[in-house]
Amino acid sequence: MSQRSSKNIKFVDADILVIGGGFGGCGATYESRYWGRDLKIVLVEKANIERSGAVSHGLSAINCYMGMQWGENQPADFVRYARGDLMGLVREDLIFDIARHVDSTVHKFEEWGLPIMKDPKTGRYLREGKWQVMIHGESYKPIIAEAARKSASEVYNRIMVTHLLMDKTRPNRVAGALGFNVRDGQLHVFRAKAVIVAAGGASHVFRPRSVGEGAGKTWYAPWSSASAYGLVLRTGAKMIQMENRIVLARFKDGYGPVGAWSLLLKAQTTNAYGENYEAARLDEIKSLVGKYAETTPLPTCLRNHAMLQEVKAGNGPIYMQTQQVLDTKEKENTGWEDFLDMTVGQAVVWASQNIDPKEKPSELTTSEPYVMGSHATCSGAWASGPEDCAPADYQWGYNRMTTVEGLFGAGDTIGGSAHKFSSGSFTEGRIAGKSAVKYVRELAGNPPQVDEAQLTMLQQEIFKPLENFEIGRNEIVAGSVAPSYISPLQGLQRLEKIMDEYVGGISTFYMTSEPMLNRGLELLTMLKEDLDHIGAEDLHQLQRAWELHHRVWTAEAVLRHTLYRQETRWPGYYYRGDFPKLDDADWHAFTASQYDVKTGEWTMSKLPVHHIIE
């Protein structure tokens, strides 16, 4: 398997290549076609765009909607909200850019057939909260995928993209991507003038709470394997806020969402004694984060912190008092549909534990950490902002282009712009698509060139796990133990254990420190060395092998950023035991990293936070 025959290689040329068929990728494909009617736009997806991405199994709400036509909210209001929730550190220009366009996206969704619930009294969209509108969303993704499918010149499903290709004449310009078909193993070489990465963030970087019969169950999509970062950071693109992982408060064991129950149905969360613990712990929280504890609503991480302190004090379990709010059949139906639209497993957990939410409360807990740029966190690539409102040092020519020329991003890929969710990710994809078309037009007769030597080297690297297995399979002992290779699952379990125990996972109550992080880096370095000896018995395991590669690269970025930021900016997401308080004097800045593929070195730095909204 060291060489692949030329017959088993498919070359695909494109003007714009979109990697990832979730909401960001669908938005990028749709808008690229609008502005680039004559361009060849290719969408490539690891699964099938019909049901891929974080929204594959549906949603019960659109969490980013202004309602400007009714005078409900303005983009500046949304920037203030996101800034408050992230303790002051967001790219306000990127968030403002999404907020001013997101309503048009949601209206398109409704035109395409998405059922959005209406308030019978006002005729407006039914609000779950200030920024959320309720939907009948089981088929949310297929509706949006149809628009992307009709917009793309070609859609390639079942392609695991493993690497981005760089221009052989200009090393800081992207030239395409490389991947293999997970069904037949055919290598696909995509040569493109512009690339938009809209792949997923990361679950299963930290060890999940679900083990045994629940293994694989996570809040964020388990197939989100960090490709948004594993692809981009290895090009030398600058990354920011990779330490800003997210921890969610969710219904225990099923990871069921709490938004509709708390925001729409107004169910209260209490400790085991029925007490409102958040209010009781406010003074303690102020001692850690100062003025940010006065933000309304209380930032997500601080609500987590209060819950964690209650559990440590022996005041758990934490309960949502569902039985106090289900006083009508309509409310009961809303509560159940919230799960049936997007987290059927939570309904199954309730049934298996004899829980009727009309009769008794249900437990909440905090999840393991996830790495993403589309939810209430800011991990991702440093990107150029909009020309009309981005500060000078946030803007270098093309909106949503990374520091690598021709490489754009959307959704989880772009850092600094939290609270995008589904509608915001699609909107950011639209923004990136329009910019990519402009870039391709201005590129004219100077397209990038793929380096044949690089292509040959990567081709051998991609399929090496199959060769490792073929050579070492006869040495297997005790069922799965092999002296010459490790399996993707063994590698994943090692990664989860390292990140959990040293980088602030559930086993340490999200606590870490410089000595713990340095020890974690030692172990992570050993794991990276062992990735050269990973074995794959078939194409499915080969896919798992490359998902592991992307997760390990992302994990190292998370660790290095966490080590670099010497404060606890987001208690409830993670804690630095050696720097337990927020420190605005020294750390009101973005953390940035840049990986040098030639030397293998990481460069860490601070980038300024500009507040453009009062």
Side-chain angles (χ1 to χ4, degrees), residues 536-595:
E537 61 183 295
D538 54 29
L539 291 172
H540 180 73
Q541 290 303 309
L542 185 63
Q543 175 183 332
R544 292 287 178 256
W546 282 104
E547 289 175 336
L548 176 60
H549 274 274
H550 292 175
R551 285 186 166 108
V552 170
W553 280 103
T554 300
E556 183 171 359
V558 170
L559 189 155
R560 290 184 180 275
H561 278 249
T562 307
L563 181 60
Y564 184 67
R565 181 177 286 282
Q566 296 182 345
E567 66 161 353
T568 298
R569 171 64 57 164
W570 302 280
Y573 288 169
Y574 78 91
Y575 301 86
R576 280 288 301 261
D578 42 356
F579 298 99
K581 295 186 177 182
L582 183 146
D583 180 5
D584 256 350
D586 290 331
W587 288 101
H588 196 84
F590 296 120
T591 60
S593 65
Q594 200 160 14
Y595 176 73

Side-chain angles (χ1 to χ4, degrees), residues 224-287:
S224 289
S225 55
S227 295
Y229 316 123
L231 289 170
V232 171
L233 71 83
R234 287 181 296 160
T235 67
K238 190 171 290 185
M239 310 296 290
I240 67 163
Q241 300 298 85
M242 294 300 290
E243 77 279 18
N244 183 213
R245 79 292 297 270
I246 188 170
V247 171
L248 290 304
R250 288 295 182 263
F251 283 107
K252 192 171 182 296
D253 298 328
Y255 293 88
V258 300
W261 289 89
S262 60
L263 295 172
L264 181 64
L265 301 177
K266 310 300 182 185
Q268 298 297 309
T269 300
T270 70
N271 63 18
Y273 303 102
E275 299 166 339
N276 181 346
Y277 56 85
E278 285 185 11
R281 292 190 175 275
L282 194 56
D283 288 340
E284 169 201 327
I285 293 172
K286 285 182 180 178
S287 70

Side-chain angles (χ1 to χ4, degrees), residues 145 194 232 451 614:
V232 171
D451 186 340
E614 294 183 1

Side-chain angles (χ1 to χ4, degrees), residues 485-502:
Y485 71 85
I486 64 170
S487 71
L489 179 59
Q490 290 165 339
L492 179 64
Q493 290 169 338
R494 275 177 61 185
L495 172 64
E496 291 178 341
K497 179 177 172 64
I498 292 167
M499 296 297 287
D500 179 61
E501 295 179 356
Y502 298 99

Side-chain angles (χ1 to χ4, degrees), residues 120-161:
K121 296 180 181 179
T122 65
R124 301 177 182 178
Y125 294 157
L126 178 63
R127 285 284 185 185
E128 178 184 276
K130 185 175 177 63
W131 309 106
Q132 302 86 2
V133 294
M134 298 295 292
I135 63 175
H136 298 289
E138 190 279 331
S139 295
Y140 192 10
K141 181 61 201 299
I143 290 170
I144 274 58
E146 182 180 12
R149 194 169 56 246
K150 290 178 177 178
S151 300
S153 305
E154 296 172 0
V155 175
Y156 288 86
N157 291 311
R158 305 295 178 186
I159 305 295
M160 174 70 200
V161 175

